[in-house]
Amino acid sequence: MQTSWNFEGGTAQQSMSTKSKVYEEILDQIKHFIKENKLSPGDRLPSERELSEQLQAGRSSVREALRALELLGLIETRRGEGTFLKPYRTYHTVELLSAFILQETKTRKDILSCKAIVEKEAAKLAYSKMNEGVIEELESVYSNNGLDPKKRYEQFFIIIFKKADNYLLETIWKLLYDFSSTMEETNYYNQSFYIEILQAYKKKQFVSIEAQFMNN
Amino acid sequence: MQTSWNFEGGTAQQSMSTKSKVYEEILDQIKHFIKENKLSPGDRLPSERELSEQLQAGRSSVREALRALELLGLIETRRGEGTFLKPYRTYHTVELLSAFILQETKTRKDILSCKAIVEKEAAKLAYSKMNEGVIEELESVYSNNGLDPKKRYEQFFIIIFKKADNYLLETIWKLLYDFSSTMEETNYYNQSFYIEILQAYKKKQFVSIEAQFMNN
DNA sequence: ATAGTTAAGTGGTCTGACCAATATAAAGTG
DNA sequence: CACTTTATATTGGTCAGACCACTTAACTAT
């Protein structure tokens, strides 16, 4: 077991910094600690009690700081085991914030419009990386009559987003998709849409992709 | 003083929900409370002690939930006064995140690419609603040499997003903009970009808008 | 009426306690 | 010896109570 954690001296109570709250100060210290000890995802942090002792702060304050890190998706706490660094997931925050944004944006129009935009651009991003294999994949989804319209739509775009190779864009789409699913009277693309998109990919007609998406 | 807060009955301790931690449950309850009582920015929430009593949870657990809300920029706590709802702002979170996230080129690419997409589509959405007054507004921003590149860029697009009339898209943009601001070596559009966009608006050349945005 | 004082309320923090889940070491078992 | 079982220590999760610092409002003295 590791015993000496090599914290930079000084209490968290109140240093000269501008931080008015202890937990904010602790946040910095923990950040510094991670850097100093070169911790990587999966590594364990000192226990709450140890942190509170090393930083000369109450355990509750340490917990508030950890809670913040957890909310940001930077650490993971497992009862009985400890606190661990999580692999960087930049978009966890985006997800969180988006959840709030979407909750307040009741405008159905906005959501559908955004979703169409994202899908269109993904289709365009995927264009340059399109190859025979992927086109066949898309075609098999399209011609699979066992799928209901929603499933077909979903699987079709999942393939496209994978090729588009922009994880953030994909995350945004998923959020919009999930939210739009909860709305009544959701319309999916019709047959001709898929045909035209596939045509554009096959015959390498970049410009015609744009036309397939309705704006607003 | 308000005495009855009208919480949905039940302890926060553990409901049937999947939430394993009390503070997560409290988070939901508080959100529900805000909605139920129609609180708007500036309004005060019940005190920590009152919340802890009403929700039958420890004050520390309530605090962990409040800390989460604070981190998301949804509330503001003022010692001696109370806890207040804040108008939605992303900056706080972004600041915190940027302190932790090591700039990953892959991530940066995604963000910049998404931002360009959103800006482009906003410019296109704004197209149909463009008129003399707005164009003049844009032109005055462009020709204002007192502005540094960043401010010019920001103000230019704020006008465009206003005209684009999609609040969700605008919010996403602000988020991406904040993120990108924390990254070093941020590039802004150059002179010719603004000129071309203005030209497209003035001469009603819709198609040429697209060309002004780089699709890396 | 005004200024100064006091009391109550609120967030911020610490401490100590207990619970629940896990990991580790010790003892038992084949 | 290897394997299971049992006890113990460690860790996160939660609660309760106690201060402190700060703000506000009511009260008092001038």
Side-chain angles (χ1 to χ4, degrees):
Chain A
M1 151 168 275
Q2 182 155 3
T3 52
S4 72
W5 286 104
N6 209 18
F7 274 96
E8 295 280 295
T11 82
Q13 201 82 259
Q14 32 68 332
S15 64
M16 60 302 134
S17 90
T18 60
K19 303 289 163 51
S20 59
K21 297 178 188 170
V22 175
Y23 93 90
E24 291 177 340
E25 184 64 32
I26 294 177
L27 227 42
D28 280 349
Q29 301 244 20
I30 293 178
K31 180 185 71 174
H32 182 261
F33 170 80
I34 292 172
K35 201 171 186 176
E36 196 72 16
N37 295 57
K38 298 183 171 50
L39 296 194
S40 349
D43 290 349
R44 225 203 74 190
L45 264 67
S47 74
E48 295 179 353
R49 290 169 178 84
E50 196 159 357
L51 280 170
S52 109
E53 187 189 354
Q54 296 282 351
L55 301 175
Q56 296 186 43
R59 200 181 145 207
S60 52
S61 294
V62 170
R63 278 185 64 80
E64 290 190 6
L66 292 177
R67 215 57 35 251
L69 291 177
E70 190 180 52
L71 198 72
L72 293 176
L74 297 171
I75 63 169
E76 179 185 10
T77 55
R78 296 201 284 268
R79 167 186 295 191
E81 298 182 56
T83 306
F84 302 84
L85 241 68
K86 273 209 326 195
Y88 298 125
R89 291 197 50 213
T90 320
Y91 308 126
H92 183 253
T93 313
V94 177
E95 277 175 39
L96 261 172
L97 294 175
S98 300
F100 277 97
I101 295 168
L102 286 175
Q103 213 169 27
E104 286 166 14
T105 310
K106 298 186 188 65
T107 327
R108 181 171 167 281
K109 170 181 89 52
D110 282 12
I111 293 170
L112 294 181
S113 169
C114 279
K115 187 160 70 68
I117 287 172
V118 170
E119 289 166 354
K120 178 180 65 181
E121 295 302 316
K124 284 158 70 178
L125 283 174
Y127 175 83
S128 59
K129 288 158 187 151
M130 213 32 86
N131 59 44
E132 269 304 320
V134 183
I135 292 178
E136 275 177 26
E137 232 183 308
L138 289 170
E139 244 164 358
S140 78
V141 170
Y142 163 69
S143 53
N144 183 349
N145 290 320
L147 294 173
D148 57 311
K150 181 177 176 179
K151 271 286 172 205
R152 169 179 291 122
Y153 158 74
E154 187 182 332
Q155 290 193 14
F156 195 86
F157 275 103
I158 284 176
I159 295 171
I160 285 182
F161 273 100
K162 195 156 297 174
K163 262 303 168 196
D165 190 35
N166 186 320
Y167 182 64
L168 176 56
L169 198 67
E170 185 177 347
T171 306
I172 292 175
W173 177 69
K174 279 179 184 160
L175 284 163
L176 295 171
Y177 170 69
D178 284 344
F179 203 81
S180 70
S181 295
T182 67
M183 305 189 306
E184 69 291 2
E185 58 156 320
T186 329
N187 288 325
Y188 302 103
Y189 297 108
N190 52 28
Q191 298 266 335
S192 65
F193 169 82
Y194 297 105
I195 295 176
E196 295 289 343
I197 292 287
L198 283 168
Q199 281 288 323
Y201 281 148
K202 279 194 278 194
K203 300 193 173 174
K204 304 205 185 304
Q205 299 168 323
F206 182 76
V207 286
S208 75
I209 297 178
E210 183 104 13
Q212 303 312 318
F213 292 84
M214 36 239 180
N215 277 329
N216 78 325
Chain B
M1 150 171 272
Q2 183 155 3
T3 50
S4 72
W5 285 107
N6 208 18
F7 274 96
E8 294 280 297
T11 80
Q13 202 83 255
Q14 32 68 329
S15 64
M16 61 302 135
S17 89
T18 60
K19 302 290 163 51
S20 59
K21 297 179 187 171
V22 175
Y23 93 90
E24 291 176 338
E25 184 65 31
I26 294 177
L27 217 48
D28 281 349
Q29 302 243 21
I30 293 179
K31 273 198 293 187
H32 182 262
F33 170 81
I34 293 172
K35 203 171 187 179
E36 197 71 14
N37 296 56
K38 295 183 174 50
L39 297 194
S40 345
D43 290 349
R44 225 202 74 189
L45 265 67
S47 74
E48 295 179 353
R49 290 170 179 82
E50 195 157 358
L51 280 170
S52 117
E53 188 189 355
Q54 296 281 353
L55 300 175
Q56 297 185 41
R59 198 180 149 210
S60 53
S61 294
V62 169
R63 277 185 64 81
E64 291 190 5
L66 291 177
R67 211 64 331 92
L69 290 174
E70 190 179 52
L71 204 66
L72 291 175
L74 296 172
I75 63 169
E76 179 183 13
T77 55
R78 295 201 283 271
R79 166 185 299 194
E81 297 183 58
T83 306
F84 302 84
L85 241 66
K86 250 177 41 165
Y88 183 77
R89 292 274 174 275
T90 62
Y91 306 110
H92 193 196
T93 317
V94 174
E95 212 172 90
L96 247 170
L97 245 195
S98 61
F100 275 91
I101 302 287
L102 315 179
Q103 328 283 4
E104 265 183 285
T105 48
K106 184 173 157 300
T107 296
R108 196 161 59 216
K109 174 181 88 51
D110 280 13
I111 293 173
L112 294 180
S113 170
C114 279
K115 188 160 69 69
I117 286 172
V118 170
E119 288 166 354
K120 177 180 64 180
E121 295 301 317
K124 284 156 71 177
L125 284 174
Y127 175 83
S128 60
K129 288 157 187 152
M130 216 26 91
N131 59 43
E132 268 305 319
V134 184
I135 291 178
E136 274 176 27
E137 232 181 308
L138 289 171
E139 245 165 355
S140 79
V141 170
Y142 163 69
S143 53
N144 183 347
N145 291 319
L147 293 174
D148 55 310
K150 181 177 175 177
K151 272 285 173 206
R152 170 179 291 123
Y153 157 74
E154 188 181 332
Q155 290 193 15
F156 195 85
F157 275 103
I158 285 176
I159 296 172
I160 286 182
F161 273 99
K162 195 157 296 173
K163 262 303 169 198
D165 190 34
N166 185 320
Y167 180 67
L168 178 55
L169 198 67
E170 184 177 349
T171 308
I172 292 175
W173 176 70
K174 280 179 185 162
L175 213 65
L176 295 172
Y177 171 68
D178 285 342
F179 264 108
S180 69
S181 293
T182 66
M183 308 187 302
E184 74 287 7
E185 57 157 317
T186 330
N187 288 324
Y188 303 104
Y189 298 107
N190 54 28
Q191 298 265 334
S192 64
F193 169 83
Y194 297 105
I195 295 176
E196 295 289 343
I197 291 288
L198 284 167
Q199 281 289 321
Y201 282 147
K202 277 194 279 195
K203 301 193 173 175
K204 303 207 187 305
Q205 299 167 322
F206 181 76
V207 286
S208 75
I209 296 178
E210 182 103 13
Q212 303 312 319
F213 293 85
M214 37 235 179
N215 269 327
N216 64 323

